[in-house]
Amino acid sequence: MKKKVKVAVVGATGIAGQQFLASLLDHPYMEVKALAASERSAGKSYRDAITDPSGAFRWYCQEPLSPEFAKIKVQDASKFDARSVDLVFTAVESDAAKQLEPRYAQTTPVVSTASAFRYEKDVPIFIPGVNMDHDRLIPVQKKNRGWKGFVTPVPNCTTMGLAMTLKPIHEAFGVLQVLMTSLQACSGAGRSPGVIGLDIIDNVIPYIPKEEEKVEVETQKILGTVSGGTVTPAPFPVSATCTRVAVLEGHTEAVYVSMKKHATVEDVTKVLEEHGKDFVALKLPSGPSSLIEVTGDPYRPQPRLDRDRSEGMVTTVGRIRQDHALPNGIKYVLVSHNTKMGAAKGGILVAEYLVNKGHI
Ligand SMILES: NC(=O)c1ccc[n+]([C@@H]2O[C@H](COP(=O)([O-])OP(=O)(O)OC[C@H]3O[C@@H](n4cnc5c(N)ncnc54)[C@H](OP(=O)(O)O)[C@@H]3O)[C@@H](O)[C@H]2O)c1
């Protein structure tokens, strides 16, 4: 029996924060001991904090809100004492994370969904089953900064599916360049201000501020190698176009990869299907039964039909084809759940791995 791990969720009232609560309910060893958010919510019960003055209850998860969590009094994140828990999950925008996360990390490990620290030299961006060996940066980060804890972010939700699928392709065939166009769900924009209905209904929005740069840089860092206390990024360029579409949850991505070695559709299918078996064998509580599932149905993957496979923790890949425009080209479509594997539950899975390895 694992020792109980006391956790706090900061940014608990937002879209990603709510998903943390949905995924931590009945967790075998993580216990939610504190919730925090902005001054706006501080001092209210969690239920009141997510209820609008109009009476509208703004709980966005499919799972019901636990009555136990609903009663917890939300704390002001800027005053929250991280020493009261063993682990902090943060789900706030980058500007707030920049202030809050280093303060918490002085005493306590932080697993973050925010981008604030993703690009720092001594900070790993973890994807379960892809680059958990980057945990070698954790002691470096603690030493560099004089912290007892640390900050380990998960990637941008669009990077998640892309880097997950590129990892086995890069290992087997060597990636030379990557082109990707995303069709991203509205929940990815968060709760406030979120995506305005008038903008997105009957529409596609061809720009998401800062998103393309994040995907390009993060993918190279995640698939890079750790040496000398930092990450040397993977050498191949990534070019992304990120769009917003009228889908609630689940990001779809059309990916084109040029490779060093020629590979058939069957070769690529095989390496994708076999990816991450060692990680899955750890049987971590939030882990899926496989990290990637490949479908042969030419009309899949679709966000509505595939995002919830393995409780939103699997990347579904379909439409794998030879690409004739790129040298040794291959192309495919993927769907990855942006608020589950791409944010909260992916963060919990990272934390479970770090607990197993003794970092928490
Ligand atoms: N949504 C996704 O699919 C997704 C996926 C991956 C990563 N992320 C990342 O996760 C983070 C949260 O995103 P979200 O979509 O959940 O946003 P959101 O729905 O807008 O929620 C923002 C949360 O931050 C809190 N907050 C705002 N200002 C704060 C401050 N100054 N101090 C403390 N708390 C503050 C809010 O509390 P109040 O309710 O009190 O205002 C709320 O709990 C972002 O960094 C985002 O990039 C999101």
Side-chain angles (χ1 to χ4, degrees):
M1 178 83 174
K2 272 213 160 52
K3 73 169 177 124
K4 293 279 180 190
V5 176
K6 290 181 274 173
V7 308
V9 179
V10 175
T13 51
I15 294 284
Q18 295 189 9
Q19 285 287 354
F20 272 110
L21 295 190
S23 300
L24 285 166
L25 182 65
D26 299 328
H27 193 282
Y29 59 85
M30 291 190 191
E31 290 181 316
V32 176
K33 287 290 182 191
L35 303 177
S38 77
E39 271 182 333
R40 185 194 68 78
S41 307
K44 298 179 185 166
S45 72
Y46 184 76
R47 176 177 292 282
D48 287 348
I50 59 167
T51 304
D52 276 356
S54 67
F57 183 53
R58 302 291 187 190
W59 173 256
Y60 290 101
C61 300
Q62 282 175 13
E63 302 84 350
L65 169 63
S66 138
E68 208 181 302
F69 296 161
K71 285 188 292 199
I72 297 177
K73 193 196 251 193
V74 178
Q75 301 188 43
D76 180 341
S78 66
K79 299 188 182 131
F80 171 63
D81 183 352
R83 288 173 301 184
S84 59
V85 293
D86 304 309
L87 167 65
V88 180
F89 291 114
T90 53
V92 297
E93 285 307 325
S94 179
D95 287 348
K98 261 197 189 102
Q99 306 297 320
L100 298 172
E101 290 176 355
R103 195 166 67 70
Y104 302 154
Q106 280 175 20
T107 57
T108 311
V110 177
V111 173
S112 169
T113 60
S115 63
F117 284 85
R118 285 186 199 143
Y119 316 112
E120 307 252 333
K121 283 190 167 170
D122 55 359
V123 176
I125 308 173
F126 283 132
I127 295 192
V130 168
N131 67 336
M132 298 309 294
D133 60 314
H134 289 198
D135 69 344
R136 282 188 286 147
L137 286 181
I138 291 176
V140 177
Q141 187 192 125
K142 288 168 95 164
K143 186 159 176 262
N144 285 352
R145 297 168 190 255
W147 290 344
K148 289 194 183 125
F150 51 83
V151 178
T152 56
V154 294
N156 173 280
C157 42
T158 307
T159 309
M160 180 63 82
L162 182 64
M164 177 71 81
T165 53
L166 288 176
K167 165 81 174 184
I169 295 175
H170 187 45
E171 270 181 355
F173 313 114
V175 171
L176 288 176
Q177 55 178 313
V178 179
L179 309 173
M180 187 278 288
T181 300
S182 67
L183 299 91
Q184 297 183 210
C186 293
S187 61
R191 184 176 165 219
S192 52
V195 181
I196 298 168
L198 274 177
D199 289 343
I200 197 69
I201 292 169
D202 187 29
N203 212 0
V204 173
I205 299 171
Y207 177 56
I208 304 174
K210 298 189 189 156
E211 197 81 348
E212 292 165 0
E213 299 85 329
K214 287 181 185 172
V215 173
E216 292 170 1
V217 172
E218 290 175 20
T219 303
Q220 289 182 309
K221 182 170 180 180
I222 290 161
L223 299 180
T225 45
V226 174
S227 64
T230 189
V231 179
T232 306
F236 54 81
V238 178
S239 174
T241 298
C242 294
T243 75
R244 184 83 64 201
V245 297
V247 166
L248 186 60
E249 298 268 28
H251 290 351
T252 303
E253 301 174 25
V255 186
Y256 298 74
V257 188
S258 173
M259 302 176 294
K260 286 185 193 151
K261 291 188 212 160
H262 172 79
T264 63
V265 169
E266 292 71 30
D267 294 334
V268 173
T269 302
K270 188 162 182 285
V271 298
L272 288 170
E273 285 181 330
E274 286 180 354
H275 171 58
K277 290 226 178 332
D278 292 354
F279 186 85
V280 168
L282 296 173
K283 295 198 180 304
L284 298 172
S286 303
S289 50
S290 58
L291 291 174
I292 298 174
E293 285 178 12
V294 178
T295 167
D297 182 336
Y299 289 90
R300 306 282 280 274
Q302 297 178 20
R304 205 174 65 201
L305 300 180
D306 294 304
R307 63 191 168 205
D308 291 321
R309 282 185 192 226
S310 260
E311 297 180 4
M313 296 298 279
V314 72
T315 303
T316 307
V317 177
R319 305 222 57 226
I320 304 175
R321 293 149 290 151
Q322 229 67 63
D323 180 79
H324 304 295
L326 296 172
N328 291 329
I330 200 92
K331 54 189 170 184
Y332 55 91
V333 177
L334 70 85
V335 164
S336 168
H337 199 303
N338 54 298
T339 58
K340 300 262 187 208
M341 185 57 151
K345 205 166 177 185
I348 295 168
L349 183 54
V350 164
E352 289 165 358
Y353 180 90
L354 297 178
V355 168
N356 254 25
K357 288 275 282 186
H359 291 295
I360 294 171

